[in-house]
Amino acid sequence: MADENVRDGNAAEGIDRAARALALSSRTVVLTGAGISKESGIPTFRDLDGIWTKYRAEELASREGFLSNPALVWNWYMERRTAARAAQPNSGHRALARLETLLPVFLLVTQNVDNLHLRAGNREIVELHGNIERYRCFECGKPSREDDSWSKGPPRCACGGLIRPNIVWFGEPLPAAELECSYRETQRCDALLIVGTSGIVHPAAMLPSVARQSGAFLIEVNVDPSGITPIVDVFLAGKAGKVLPGLVRRVEEFLAG
Ligand code: OAD
C-alpha cells in the first residue's frame, strides 16, 4: 500500500499527502520508537550499532537477568539514564511537539523511555515501555524515589526487596492503562504517524494494524522500510530529524489555508 516512489523525505508529493491527512485529522496518534532519538545520540536497539547487537537482552532486560546479577542490570540502566539526561531533544522531537499544538486531539504513544518527547514539549504522551527516570520495588511493586543512598548500587525498598527500573522487560506485560489508552485512541484516530520503529515488538507493533482496520490514514517515517511499511499509505524515507520538520511545516501551511 505504501507509495514505493516516496523514498526521499523531501519528496513533495508524499509530504503533501501526509500533511493534508494530518491537517484534516480530528484525532491523531503518533507512535514513536528508538529511531527518533538516534539523532540525539541515543542508540536504537536493532540497527547495526544497536543495543541488542552489543548486549544480551536476557541478561539486561529480563526478570531472570536482574535476579542473577542485580548490580550489573542496575548499573547498565544508570548508564543509560546518564546518557538520556545528557541528550537533547532533536528537530524530530521538536516537530512532534509543534504538531501537538496544531491538531485538535493528539496522542503521542512512545516505546522510548528517554523522556525526550516530554523535554521537547509534548504533553499528551503515553509511555508504553516505562521511563528510565522511574523505579519500583521488584518485590512489592511500590514506586520508589531516588535518594542519597542510591549511589551505593542497587537500592532496597522498605520491604527489603530490590529496587528496579520501571521499564518493561522481556516477558513482562505492558502497563495496562497505557496499553488500553493506546489501543482505544488508535482505534478511533483518523491518522496514525509512525516514526522510527522496526515494528517487531508486540503489542506496540499491533497498533498500525489496529489503525488500518479502523480506516485511518497511515504515515511512516523511517530511514529504511520496516515491518509496518507494507500497510502504510505514505512512507517517507529519511531521518526523523530531517523529515518531520518539513512535514509539520506543510501541515501548518494546509491549516493556514
Ligand atoms: P528498533 O531498534 O527495533 O528500531 C529502530 C528503527 O528506527 C528502525 O526501523 C530503524 O530503521 C529506524 N531508524 C534509525 N534511525 C532513524 C532515524 N534517524 N530516523 C528515523 N528512523 C530511524 O527500535 P524500536 O522499534 O523502538 O523495548 O524497538 C522496540 C522495542 O524493542 C524498544 O522499546 C525496546 C526494544 O527491546 C524495551 O526496552 C521494552
Side-chain angles (χ1 to χ4, degrees):
M1 200 163 296
D3 180 350
E4 289 299 317
N5 295 319
V6 183
R7 283 283 171 252
D8 173 359
N10 293 319
E13 196 208 320
I15 292 276
D16 268 13
R17 288 180 62 218
R20 191 188 309 267
L22 288 167
L24 291 172
S25 172
S26 305
R27 307 187 76 93
T28 306
V29 174
V30 179
L31 171 66
T32 65
I36 192 164
S37 293
K38 188 160 179 180
E39 290 156 84
S40 295
I42 298 181
T44 63
F45 292 92
R46 296 174 183 81
D47 288 326
L48 284 179
D49 55 350
I51 288 175
W52 297 148
T53 62
K54 291 193 189 131
Y55 301 100
R56 295 182 61 227
E58 316 84 84
E59 259 177 38
L60 296 166
S62 76
R63 294 177 66 84
E64 296 73 27
F66 184 65
L67 282 176
S68 83
N69 196 341
L72 176 83
V73 174
W74 180 260
N75 292 336
W76 187 68
Y77 280 99
M78 289 302 102
E79 279 169 27
R80 283 182 61 200
R81 187 184 73 163
T82 302
R85 284 180 180 177
Q88 295 303 321
N90 64 54
S91 48
H93 295 107
R94 289 196 296 274
L96 293 182
R98 176 77 187 134
L99 190 63
E100 180 171 331
T101 68
L102 298 173
L103 302 181
V105 180
F106 180 99
L107 181 69
L108 191 146
V109 178
T110 189
Q111 300 165 85
N112 301 345
V113 300
D114 57 27
N115 272 307
L116 290 180
H117 287 304
L118 186 70
R119 287 171 55 201
N122 280 105
R123 289 298 168 257
E124 297 296 329
I125 305 174
V126 165
E127 293 170 325
L128 276 182
H129 291 167
N131 185 305
I132 202 139
E133 295 284 355
R134 287 202 288 273
Y135 319 89
R136 69 173 195 268
C137 176
F138 185 84
E139 300 297 337
C140 73
K142 192 172 162 220
S144 189
R145 285 238 178 97
E146 184 170 12
D147 65 39
D148 293 345
S149 66
W150 281 30
S151 57
K152 298 188 181 78
R156 285 194 182 267
C157 173
C159 81
L162 288 165
I163 302 293
R164 57 166 282 180
N166 203 349
I167 288 180
V168 177
W169 285 335
F170 285 95
E172 293 186 318
L174 270 59
E178 280 80 354
L179 187 59
E180 199 271 325
C181 175
S182 305
Y183 267 73
R184 190 184 60 238
E185 292 309 314
T186 301
Q187 250 166 354
R188 53 186 190 174
C189 74
D190 304 307
L192 175 69
L193 171 61
I194 304 141
V195 185
T197 179
S198 55
I200 58 174
V201 175
H202 288 263
M206 286 301 294
L207 293 174
S209 304
V210 169
R212 174 88 272 156
Q213 279 158 21
S214 318
F217 192 92
L218 269 61
I219 304 152
E220 182 182 21
V221 177
N222 200 312
V223 285
D224 290 314
S226 72
I228 298 163
T229 311
I231 66 162
V232 302
D233 294 286
V234 176
F235 177 75
L236 300 171
K239 293 182 176 179
K242 182 160 178 260
V243 176
L244 289 174
L247 176 62
V248 173
R249 261 197 309 276
R250 199 75 189 102
V251 173
E252 292 196 73
E253 287 167 10
F254 276 119
L255 289 171

